Every structure is written in structure tokens, then in C-alpha cells.
Amino acid sequence: MANIREIVLNILIEYDKEGSKKAGLIKDVLEKYDYLETRDKAFIKRVCEGCIERNIQIDYVLDSFSKVEVKKMQPFIRSLMRMGVYQIMFMDSVPDSAACNEAVKLAQKHKFTGLKGFVNGVLRNVSRNKDNIEYPDRTEDGGANYLSVLYSVPKWLCKMWLNDYGFERTENILKFFLEPRPTVIRCAGTDIGDSVNGPKFVSELKKELEDAGVVVKENPILPYALELEKTDNIKYLPGFSEGKFAVQDVSSMLVTEIANPLKGQTVIDVCAAPGGKSMHAAQAVGEEGKVFSRDVSAAKKELIAENADRLGLNNIAIEIIDAKIHDENMKENGDILYLDVPCSGLGIIGRKNDIKQNIRKEKLSDLTKLQWDIVKACWDYVKVGGTLMYSTCTVNKAENEQMITKICTDFPFEPVDITDLIPKYILDNDRYNIKDTAKKGYIQLLPGEFGTDGFFIAKLKRVDR
């Protein structure tokens, strides 16, 4: 019989290795142990993701109680201690005594008998004092130390956001990253745009999901978006195999909402995988329209194709094309060009918490170079008078606002006032100054402010110059 905590420990040890901080590691292991009880798989997922999500705070706590610094611990012991501290600090369902005892047993099993006392002593000390831990002062270093430790986000990133958004908004972003999130779906009926049949389709799908035991909430931003809770495997939900919905965050849906494709138009999506925006655009332009959905690898092409096939879309041409390489055949071919470029992903840390472990400040400049290479290769795919939609799932002005300024300076584009295309729920919230930037052709959604991921969307028009 599999030892659940040992599975967790092996994942954490592998994840702790240099270069092994990959997003798919937990998913791969869970698939390997798919035969386990649902509660056991849930425990593995919760503890592994929790240790990654809270890593800076956990290491701070350990360093507060251990004479041996975390970075100097043997890899096995380091991962074992992190696993124990996470259970003690953040899992009320696990008795502290069980977290301590099971850690000691694993230390003994793996021939670390001499460290049993160390493991037991430190973990029990954490247990006794977990409500009285002294964290950095909120005023120290402008709040960066406090935010970094309490929310387990690299200090340089806290400083960047403190400089851009101030303490309150930065803390709200970091809090949101740690909150449980629903699964958001886009209802994908062909009549979604119909003011009569669209709401009927959404209502019927909502009931179908609720009858299957799913907790469903209507999203306040878009009428065709639903939020799902208490879902195990999305593929087994009613309506999935029939193509009635696609998993997609509202922030991503807003790209097509703001692009506003018309029936019969041609849309070119050059960094398309997994294909959410391509699918949304394909349904908007209808059978008389066309979407070119491209990405750089066969695996990504297959992913897009699976989604297109499930949704029953026949107006999508799926191609393996490197967006950095100019395609003369696409020159002035598109009514709308989607440039959802590779980015630092800082807006979706709440969904992919490994991002904050992998991203480095020095990598940001490499990303802006890649983004600019894609812009240079693809900008002329847009017809004169056509639309360029530039978007990222990050919160970094160098990748967003500054990139838009550069595009409009170096190429024949100008911003489009998108005020009338922003959903009322967002536009009417004066607190975040959305109206001001919408007039300038873009919006920056900060994580959590409207219940969405962090996302940047800009709409530019190609002019004749």
C-alpha cells in the first residue's frame, strides 16, 4: 500500500532539485497514482501545492526554530521539514501530533535515524508556537520584507509592485493569489450572441451542471461565463464532451469581447495554445469567417486541435508556425491579429504557483526581447484599418504599457478607445481608473480586483502611414 506522505515527500524532493521546478510534476505523479482514493489524491495535491505556494513563509518559520538553516539542511530533511510545517501551519484537518510522528517515521525509514530527535524537536516547537511567530515589521523596507515572507513572493517582485501600485493594492494582489479559485468556463453554444437563446443556453447548462452536484455561480462580468466549484475532473462533467463549454478565465474571454470580431472576418492567432481565444474568435466570426490558430510545437497544435474538435469548430486552420519568423503569406491577410505573447505570467500566480519560484528578475528583459521579436515578425499580418490585439497574463509595465507605446512608435498603429467594449461591471467601478486607460486603448486587470486573473489587453488600429 502506498504511503501518501512518502509520495508527497518524493515530489517535494524532486521539485527542490535545481531545474526541476516544473508545473506538470504534481499532475504526472497524480496520474501515476490514479488508483488511490480521491481523498488521498486530494491530500497529495494539497500538501505539494501548499509547500510550493508557501515556500518562503515555511522556510522563514523553520529558520526561526531550527539551529540549522533550511538552505544547509540535507535535501531529504529539508523537504521532510517543509512538509511537516505546512501540515502544522495550514491544515486543521491534520493533528499536529500526526504531522510530527509521520515525519519522524519517514526519517527513520530512510536511514536518517540520527536526525529523528532534530525532526521531532523542531516540528513540535513549531506546533507549540505557531500562533506567536514574529514576522518582519510591516514598515521594514517599505513593507517588502513583510509581504515577501507572509505571502511567499520574491522580494524583488514585491518591491516592483509596491513601486507601481502601493502597499494596499499589492497586498490585495498577494492575498488573492492564496485564495481558492473556482474553475471558470465559457459557455460555447452557437447562439450565445442571441439575446433570447443565449441566456436560455446558459441557464440550461447551469442546471445540467447543478444536477450533477456542481456548485455553479453566474459570473458578474460576462453573461456567458460560469464559475464552478466542487469539480473533480472537468472532462467528466455533463456538456464537456458535447462541446457545450470551454475552460477559460474571464480575463482571457475579454480579449475577444474587446476585439469584437464580426461575422465573416479573418482572425490570426499566432501564439494560440491551448486555443481558448482562437475558439472564442471562431465562434464569433461564424462559418463564413476564418481563424488561423498557430503555435510553435506539435504538442501545442494537438492541444488546440483537441479543443477545436470537441467544440465542433470547422473554421479553424491549426498550424505549427514559429511566431518569431515572418510569414509572407499572412501579410495584410488579417482583419484581427491576436498577439497573446509569451510572458512572465505574473498575473496567474494564483493558478500556477510554480511561476513565482521560477521567475527571476533578470529573465524579464529576455521576455520583452522575445515579445518584441514576435511583434516585429507579425505586425504586418494586419490589414490597413484592421485590429491588433496585444495581451499578456502578466502585471509588468515593461511587458505591457511600455510595449504598446513602442509598437505605436515604431509601426503604423494607434490606440483605439475601448470604453464602449468594456463590460459595465468593470467600467463602472471607479476605484481602479479603468475608464482612464480604456480611452487610451488598454486595460490592466490586477489579480483579484474583479475576481479575475491579472491580465493586460490593448486594442490598436493599423493606420495608413
Side-chain angles (χ1 to χ4, degrees):
M1 182 178 178
N3 183 318
I4 305 304
R5 284 182 172 83
E6 190 164 25
I7 294 172
V8 171
L9 182 59
N10 288 334
I11 293 174
L12 294 179
I13 291 171
E14 184 65 25
Y15 192 90
D16 193 38
K17 291 179 182 177
E18 189 66 30
S20 295
K21 295 178 173 58
K22 55 181 182 178
L25 181 59
I26 298 172
K27 180 175 178 288
D28 292 344
V29 174
L30 287 174
E31 288 180 355
K32 177 182 176 182
Y33 290 98
D34 192 47
Y35 61 85
L36 292 173
E37 295 287 338
T38 299
R39 65 179 182 181
D40 290 337
K41 289 186 288 185
F43 179 88
I44 293 169
K45 187 173 187 288
R46 166 81 185 274
V47 178
C48 287
E49 290 185 346
C51 286
I52 295 167
E53 186 175 60
R54 298 273 190 175
N55 76 309
I56 295 176
Q57 184 180 9
I58 289 171
D59 286 1
Y60 178 90
V61 170
L62 277 170
D63 282 341
S64 299
F65 292 97
S66 171
K67 293 180 179 179
V68 180
E69 291 182 309
V70 173
K71 64 183 179 182
K72 294 182 179 179
M73 292 178 183
Q74 296 183 59
F76 176 91
I77 295 297
R78 181 166 53 239
S79 293
L80 181 68
M81 298 300 279
R82 286 169 171 167
M83 179 176 72
V85 169
Y86 179 78
Q87 293 171 79
I88 291 168
M89 296 281 295
F90 304 109
M91 294 186 72
D92 294 337
S93 60
V94 177
D96 290 0
S97 57
C100 296
N101 293 339
E102 293 302 320
V104 170
K105 288 178 184 177
L106 284 170
Q108 185 172 6
K109 178 179 179 180
H110 288 268
K111 313 302 182 187
F112 286 92
T113 305
L115 292 175
K116 284 197 311 179
F118 169 78
V119 171
N120 187 57
V122 172
L123 292 181
R124 291 195 182 279
N125 204 5
V126 173
S127 173
R128 287 191 296 269
N129 297 283
K130 62 182 176 181
D131 295 325
N132 301 304
I133 295 169
E134 291 188 14
Y135 291 105
D137 190 273
R138 290 171 67 97
T139 61
E140 181 183 337
D141 200 12
N145 285 340
Y146 169 82
L147 294 174
S148 177
V149 170
L150 203 64
Y151 298 102
S152 289
V153 171
K155 189 174 175 180
W156 68 264
L157 181 53
C158 292
K159 285 186 172 182
M160 184 177 82
W161 284 343
L162 282 168
N163 183 63
D164 289 341
Y165 303 110
F167 187 91
E168 182 183 356
R169 293 185 82 181
T170 299
E171 185 169 30
N172 286 338
I173 289 171
L174 303 184
K175 282 180 180 178
F176 181 72
F177 286 153
L178 296 176
E179 292 174 0
R181 301 284 304 282
T183 298
V184 183
I185 62 171
R186 176 177 61 82
C187 300
T190 55
D191 50 7
I192 284 297
D194 186 322
S195 61
V196 176
N197 293 318
K200 180 182 178 184
F201 178 90
V202 174
S203 177
E204 290 175 349
L205 178 59
K206 181 174 181 285
K207 184 178 186 306
E208 198 174 354
L209 291 165
E210 288 174 335
D211 289 345
V214 180
V215 176
V216 186
K217 295 180 181 178
E218 295 178 8
N219 182 273
I221 301 174
L222 294 174
Y224 50 83
L226 296 175
E227 300 174 3
L228 313 184
E229 296 178 2
K230 295 189 177 180
T231 61
D232 185 10
N233 191 326
I234 201 84
K235 294 181 179 180
Y236 299 136
L237 292 182
F240 180 84
S241 59
E242 298 89 343
K244 292 183 179 181
F245 66 86
V247 177
Q248 188 178 8
D249 192 72
V250 169
S251 56
S252 174
M253 298 182 208
L254 286 173
V255 173
T256 297
E257 188 77 15
I258 294 170
N260 193 29
L262 303 177
K263 297 295 183 185
Q265 286 191 323
T266 297
V267 177
I268 305 170
D269 188 355
V270 298
C271 303
K277 298 175 192 66
S278 289
M279 309 301 141
H280 198 180
Q283 291 184 304
V285 300
E287 292 185 1
E288 61 269 42
K290 186 76 172 181
V291 174
F292 291 90
S293 187
R294 299 175 157 193
D295 220 302
V296 73
S297 69
K300 291 186 174 184
K301 177 184 177 182
E302 183 178 348
L303 187 58
I304 299 168
E306 287 176 0
N307 284 322
D309 183 62
R310 183 176 62 82
L311 294 173
L313 298 169
N314 301 313
N315 58 345
I316 300 181
I318 305 168
E319 302 166 321
I320 303 173
I321 302 286
D322 186 341
K324 299 192 303 297
I325 301 173
H326 183 264
D327 180 2
E328 191 66 23
N329 293 324
M330 282 291 121
K331 187 173 181 179
E332 299 188 357
N333 193 42
D335 296 292
I336 301 173
L337 170 65
Y338 283 2
L339 288 183
D340 188 64
V341 293
C343 69
S344 55
L346 300 178
I348 56 171
I349 287 174
R351 295 190 185 277
K352 298 181 179 181
N353 51 50
D354 61 290
I355 288 173
K356 62 184 177 182
Q357 313 301 326
N358 292 329
I359 194 66
R360 297 289 181 270
K361 187 176 183 179
E362 54 271 18
K363 286 185 179 180
L364 296 183
S365 59
D366 293 338
L367 281 166
T368 55
K369 182 182 182 303
L370 172 61
Q371 291 159 357
W372 188 242
D373 287 343
I374 292 173
V375 171
K376 288 190 297 182
C378 300
W379 71 268
D380 67 354
Y381 296 174
V382 185
K383 300 174 182 176
V384 174
T387 296
L388 187 158
M389 295 297 300
Y390 180 93
S391 60
T392 73
C393 57
T394 196
V395 183
N396 174 21
K397 291 187 176 182
E399 298 178 72
N400 295 337
E401 291 95 329
Q402 293 173 24
M403 191 65 67
I404 292 306
T405 298
K406 188 171 175 59
I407 292 172
C408 292
T409 300
D410 288 16
F411 300 117
F413 289 93
E414 60 184 28
V416 176
D417 184 344
I418 57 176
T419 305
D420 293 341
L421 297 168
I422 306 297
K424 184 177 174 60
Y425 181 84
I426 294 176
L427 194 67
D428 287 352
N429 194 324
D430 294 331
R431 181 180 177 188
Y432 302 123
N433 301 318
I434 293 293
K435 289 179 181 177
D436 292 345
T437 66
K439 290 178 182 177
K440 299 174 184 177
Y442 72 89
I443 57 171
Q444 171 71 75
L445 301 176
L446 296 187
E449 288 189 335
F450 298 99
T452 72
D453 293 331
F455 220 85
F456 179 86
I457 305 170
K459 185 172 186 175
L460 309 177
K461 177 182 178 181
R462 183 174 175 183
V463 294
D464 190 8
R465 75 167 191 237

